[in-house]
Amino acid sequence: MTTTNKPDWKLALGIPFGIFISCFLITLSSKFKSNQQLLSEAIIIDLLITAPLVYYFAIRNSSVSKFTILRVFLAGVIIAGWMLNSHTNTLLDIIKTWVAPLVEGVIIIFIVGKFYSANKKAKQSEKNNICFLNYCRSVLKEITGSEKAGNIIASEIAVFYYAFLGRKEKNIDNKSKFTSYKENGILLFLGTFLSLFIIEITGVHFILILWNSTIAWIITLLSLYTCLQLFAHIRAIKARPITFNSNNSTLEIYNGLAGDVVINYDNIESVESSSKIPMNRKYIILALLRKLEKHNCIIYLKEPVKVIRIFGIVKSTDTVLFYVDGVKYFTEILNLQLNRNVG
């Protein structure tokens, strides 16, 4: 069976959407009022079985993940609950009470299983080449069927992972893996900023609570989550070193949760040890606070690559600016890799 890259989205999304609209129009008709029980069950079957099946047959021979059928099913559950909420329907109650939570549970078990497998492989590997955030993105892309959605959700999951479970990379040999925090004092800077931010939050909270306690707690909780994100970023800087990946001839450049990019050696035009800002180039600085964090290395690319920034935001660039410890030795090794690749 041949697999096409993209399905016919007019069929895959158009027909299920048409089913949803048709079911809604039926609930507005006079016949629905006189045959509520029978038509309600027919609507539920169309929303939860017919629409997902149509979607499945439209994408089955494409590269779109089969797990995306769950999105159509859950959309059907939500729409059915909204349409038929005012009508007593035993079948709908069963689906909302048992089936929907079961599907959600299966998704959670699948995700946990994938992460457990990745963690097990990482422990078995002496070089521990599996990056949690990258793996998380790939798993969620498979489940959601959307790279953008997968990146966004993965970025939020990564906050909690690196804040509470992420560990400092110990296998730094300055040959295949390089740090980016020892020579520039970035951890001290971010740690100081985090401490001052927490003190500021505490003061603002007590001032706001005198005016409105609800608003005070909302602002405080949002601020505390921002602190958690910054703390996770600090830990991720230690856990995600800049890596020469010999398995697939790529350079993996990470800066905590602020940004990362994977570059093929054959796409690198040149590398330069410099803190300048390139002219007439579409550059991206891999930094959380770009105006405050300096860079000491520039990689010029033949073709643009995608850089994944914080919150899963994807941008394109042909020039990557970043900081690496031991930049002279790093550039020497990279040039050796490029010469080998050419040879």
Side-chain angles (χ1 to χ4, degrees):
M1 182 181 294
T2 59
T3 301
T4 57
N5 290 327
K6 294 182 179 180
D8 187 341
W9 288 114
K10 292 182 180 179
L11 293 176
L13 299 179
I15 296 180
F17 182 75
I19 291 173
F20 294 160
I21 294 297
S22 299
C23 290
F24 174 69
L25 294 176
I26 290 173
T27 60
L28 300 178
S29 66
S30 57
K31 290 185 178 180
F32 179 78
K33 295 179 181 179
S34 58
N35 298 279
Q36 287 186 10
Q37 186 64 30
L38 179 62
L39 290 178
S40 292
E41 293 179 357
I43 287 173
I44 290 172
I45 292 173
D46 280 342
L47 292 176
L48 306 187
I49 298 178
T50 306
L53 277 178
V54 169
Y55 175 82
Y56 169 75
F57 285 117
I59 67 154
R60 62 174 179 167
N61 293 331
S62 71
S63 59
V64 177
S65 173
K66 304 302 183 293
F67 283 99
T68 56
I69 193 175
L70 295 176
R71 293 191 297 179
V72 181
F73 174 80
L74 292 175
V77 172
I78 294 171
I79 293 172
W82 171 64
M83 288 182 183
L84 307 174
N85 189 44
S86 60
H87 309 286
T88 302
N89 191 291
T90 305
L91 180 58
L92 178 61
D93 290 338
I94 292 174
I95 292 171
K96 290 168 65 177
T97 305
W98 300 102
V99 179
L102 178 62
V103 171
E104 293 173 358
V106 170
I107 295 174
I108 293 172
I109 291 173
F110 175 79
I111 295 174
V112 172
K114 284 284 188 178
F115 291 153
Y116 174 79
S117 176
N119 187 55
K120 188 175 181 180
K121 289 179 181 179
K123 289 181 178 179
Q124 292 174 350
S125 172
E126 292 182 359
K127 294 184 178 180
N128 197 10
N129 288 325
I130 297 177
C131 171
F132 173 84
L133 181 51
N134 290 345
Y135 191 81
C136 187
R137 288 169 181 157
S138 65
V139 171
L140 291 170
K141 177 184 176 182
E142 182 180 355
I143 292 173
T144 63
S146 169
E147 183 177 5
K148 184 176 181 179
N151 289 343
I152 293 173
I153 299 172
S155 67
E156 297 303 318
I157 293 176
V159 169
F160 293 94
Y161 175 83
Y162 286 107
F164 301 110
L165 299 175
R167 297 181 180 179
K168 177 181 177 181
E169 175 61 63
K170 296 180 179 180
N171 299 318
I172 303 297
D173 54 9
N174 292 323
K175 293 180 180 180
S176 61
K177 294 183 179 181
F178 286 78
T179 57
S180 60
Y181 59 87
K182 291 183 177 180
E183 298 177 3
N184 59 358
I186 186 62
L187 296 185
L188 176 61
F189 172 77
L190 293 176
T192 303
F193 183 82
L194 176 60
S195 300
L196 293 175
F197 192 35
I198 293 174
I199 295 172
E200 185 73 17
I201 291 170
T202 304
V204 171
H205 174 77
F206 285 110
I207 293 174
L208 288 177
I209 207 168
L210 297 174
W211 170 57
N212 189 304
S213 60
T214 301
I215 293 178
W217 279 110
I218 291 174
I219 293 176
T220 299
L221 290 175
L222 290 174
S223 300
L224 288 175
Y225 183 66
T226 301
C227 291
L228 181 66
Q229 289 177 314
L230 182 55
F231 178 67
H233 171 62
I234 293 172
R235 288 175 59 86
I237 290 175
K238 298 180 180 180
R240 308 179 77 202
I242 297 170
T243 304
F244 290 100
N245 193 326
S246 58
N247 294 329
N248 51 16
S249 300
T250 58
L251 172 63
E252 301 171 1
I253 307 174
Y254 302 113
N255 183 0
L257 302 181
D260 56 75
V261 60
V262 177
I263 305 172
N264 293 320
Y265 292 149
D266 57 11
N267 190 33
I268 297 177
E269 181 180 300
S270 63
V271 57
E272 179 182 4
S273 173
S274 174
S275 59
K276 70 179 183 181
I277 298 296
M279 301 298 292
N280 302 321
R281 301 285 294 200
K282 187 179 179 180
Y283 67 89
I284 285 181
I285 303 176
L286 288 184
L288 181 64
L289 305 172
R290 287 175 288 179
K291 293 185 178 181
L292 298 177
E293 295 182 43
K294 61 181 181 179
H295 65 277
N296 65 353
C297 191
I298 305 173
I299 292 182
Y300 300 93
L301 305 173
K302 300 173 185 177
E303 299 291 337
V305 295
K306 291 181 179 179
V307 176
I308 305 179
R309 304 299 301 271
I310 193 168
F311 307 123
I313 298 171
V314 178
K315 292 189 176 182
S316 179
T317 183
D318 61 8
T319 309
V320 180
L321 285 61
F322 61 99
Y323 190 92
V324 58
D325 295 327
V327 63
K328 291 184 179 180
Y329 192 46
F330 171 84
T331 55
E332 289 176 3
I333 292 178
L334 180 54
N335 281 319
L336 286 174
Q337 294 288 354
L338 297 181
N339 292 332
R340 291 174 186 172
N341 196 56
V342 172

